[in-house]
Amino acid sequence: MFGPKAGKIIGTADADLTPKQLLRRTGCVAAVRDISFSVVPGEVFAVMGLSGSGKSTLVRCLTRLIEPTAGSVTIDGHNVTKASASALRDLRRNHVSMVFQHFGLLPHRQVIDNVAYGLEIRGVGKVDRRKKAAEIVELVGLAGNETSYPDQLSGGMQQRVGLARALAGDPALLLFDEPFSALDPLIRRDMQNEVIRLQAELRKTMVFVTHDLQEALRLGDRILIMRDGEVVQIGTPAEVVAHPADAYVRDFVSDIPLSHVLTLKYVMREPRPDDSSEGPVMASDTIVGEAARVALGSELVVQVVEDGALVGIVDRDAILRVVVAEESVAV
C-alpha cells in the first residue's frame, strides 16, 4: 500500500474499496492486494500483467526492496518480512539474485569484473572470483568479451552480462523484473532462448515478471496473471489458454496459437474397447504442435500415457480441430 498512513488502512473497511474509491477517499494506492502463491524449487513462475498491475511491486516485495505493508514472505522456510538487517543482507548477497530491465552495469569495469562484482561484495578473493566469473561468462555465451566495457556491447550482450552477474553467486532463487522488455524483438527472442537453455542446464528457481503473455507462456511452468494489484488466475500455460478465468484473460489468450500451448491432456478422449493398443505413445504433457506430425502421419491413434498408464487417446480429428481453430482466429 502506497500513500499517507497506508499501514492504518489494512483491516479497515477502506481496504475493501475499489482502487479509484480508495485513492479518492484516502490518497492511497493498493499496489498489491491479497496475493498468495507458492513456487516449487526448480520452477519458472511467471508473473504477467499490464503496466500498473502491480507485478514489479510484487517481485520487489519478495526481498523487501519494497517493504510490504502487511502479510508475509517466506523463502526456503525463512520469514523474510521478519528478517533482521543482517539476515536480509545475507539473503540478497548469497541466496537471491535479481535481473532488472535496466542492466545497471558498472561502466568503468570490464565484463569480467561486472560479472564478479557480487562475489567481490561477498569478500571472495580476486583470483577466485575472476575464475568463477570466467566460467559464467562462457556459460551465457560471452566468451571472448571478458575485457570489453559495457558501452562496447549491444543491448542483448549487456543483458547477458546482467544475467551472468546474477548467476555468478549461484543463488537459489532468481528474480527477473521485465529484463527483456527494452530489447529489440529478435534479441529478446534470443534472450528467452538463453533462459530456456540455462534453465534446462541449471534448474534454478525463477520468478519472471513480464507484461508480454507470449513471453510468459514460453518461459513459465506456471503463470500468475495480475490486474489492479490482484490475482486473476494462476495456472500452467495450457490451463490458462484452455480455461481462461474471465473475459480479461480470455482477451489476452485469444490470439495465442493453441497448438503451441495446449497439451495432449486437453484434446484427448477416453480410451474405448475398440481402440488399437498399438500406435505412437506420448506423454499427456506433450504440446499438441509437437505431437501433430506424428499423429497426422500415423494410421493409428496416439496412446496418451501418464506414469506409464494409458489415460487417453488422440486421433487425427482432435489434432485437426486445434489447427482449424487456430486458422479461424488468425482470419
Side-chain angles (χ1 to χ4, degrees):
M1 184 87 71
F2 295 111
K5 301 180 180 179
K8 295 184 177 181
I9 295 174
I10 305 298
T12 71
D14 287 344
D16 297 324
L17 296 174
T18 66
K20 287 184 178 180
Q21 290 171 336
L22 180 67
L23 181 61
R24 186 167 55 247
R25 181 179 176 86
T26 69
C28 293
V29 175
V32 176
R33 185 195 297 250
D34 296 331
I35 289 185
S36 181
F37 64 93
S38 298
V39 181
V40 179
E43 178 181 29
V44 179
F45 188 84
V47 179
M48 183 266 165
L50 299 177
S51 296
S53 62
K55 58 190 183 300
S56 290
T57 299
L58 174 64
V59 77
R60 289 165 190 250
C61 283
L62 300 184
T63 56
R64 286 172 53 191
L65 291 177
I66 294 176
E67 289 284 353
T69 311
S72 63
V73 176
T74 302
I75 296 178
D76 196 24
H78 301 287
N79 190 331
V80 176
T81 39
K82 293 184 178 180
S84 64
S86 61
L88 196 56
R89 282 195 299 271
D90 177 69
L91 176 78
R92 294 171 180 171
R93 286 180 179 178
N94 300 306
H95 304 287
V96 181
S97 289
M98 195 159 186
V99 182
F100 297 93
Q101 175 181 343
H102 302 291
F103 319 125
L105 304 181
L106 301 171
H108 61 291
R109 292 198 173 198
Q110 296 175 344
V111 166
I112 193 75
D113 292 316
N114 265 284
V115 174
Y117 183 69
L119 298 175
E120 181 180 346
I121 295 298
R122 287 190 194 180
V124 178
K126 185 173 182 178
V127 173
D128 289 339
R129 70 176 181 256
R130 279 198 155 210
K131 179 181 178 181
K132 179 63 175 178
E135 294 173 1
I136 301 299
V137 164
E138 183 171 359
L139 180 67
V140 300
L142 284 174
N145 294 280
E146 291 85 350
T147 59
S148 299
Y149 288 90
D151 64 0
Q152 296 174 313
L153 304 176
S154 67
M157 293 175 74
Q158 288 183 38
Q159 192 57 288
R160 285 176 188 264
V161 177
L163 179 57
R165 182 176 57 191
L167 289 170
D170 193 25
L173 174 63
L174 279 165
L175 307 178
F176 294 83
D177 188 9
E178 299 202 66
F180 309 145
S181 60
L183 301 177
D184 293 336
L186 291 178
I187 298 175
R188 182 172 187 158
R189 182 82 173 183
D190 286 344
M191 290 305 301
Q192 291 170 2
N193 289 338
E194 191 67 14
V195 169
I196 292 170
R197 182 184 68 82
L198 289 170
Q199 181 62 358
E201 188 169 337
L202 303 176
R203 300 307 302 172
K204 291 290 183 182
T205 305
M206 302 182 184
V207 176
F208 194 103
V209 171
T210 178
H211 65 266
D212 185 338
L213 182 60
Q214 290 273 14
E215 186 167 73
L217 292 171
R218 190 158 189 254
L219 299 180
D221 295 309
R222 286 188 300 144
I223 303 168
L224 183 158
I225 299 178
M226 294 183 67
R227 178 182 58 200
D228 295 333
E230 299 183 88
V231 174
V232 180
Q233 185 169 2
I234 299 178
T236 65
E239 287 169 346
V240 169
V241 171
H243 304 299
D246 61 12
Y248 180 76
V249 180
R250 195 172 299 113
D251 284 344
F252 268 120
V253 304
S254 61
D255 294 330
I256 300 297
L258 299 180
S259 67
H260 294 188
V261 180
L262 291 185
T263 62
L264 295 183
K265 174 182 177 180
Y266 292 91
V267 299
M268 68 186 187
R269 59 170 172 79
E270 291 188 2
R272 295 193 293 254
D274 59 338
D275 285 325
S276 170
S277 59
E278 300 178 359
V281 177
M282 294 187 177
S284 62
D285 60 356
T286 304
I287 301 297
V288 170
E290 297 173 1
R293 179 173 297 181
V294 174
L296 295 176
S298 174
E299 296 296 327
L300 301 172
V301 295
V302 173
Q303 317 283 313
V304 183
V305 298
E306 280 184 9
D307 299 324
L310 180 68
V311 294
I313 294 294
V314 172
D315 54 28
R316 289 183 174 187
D317 288 345
I319 298 294
L320 289 173
R321 279 195 293 271
V322 174
V323 174
V324 169
E326 271 183 17
E327 293 182 349
S328 64
V329 167
V331 172

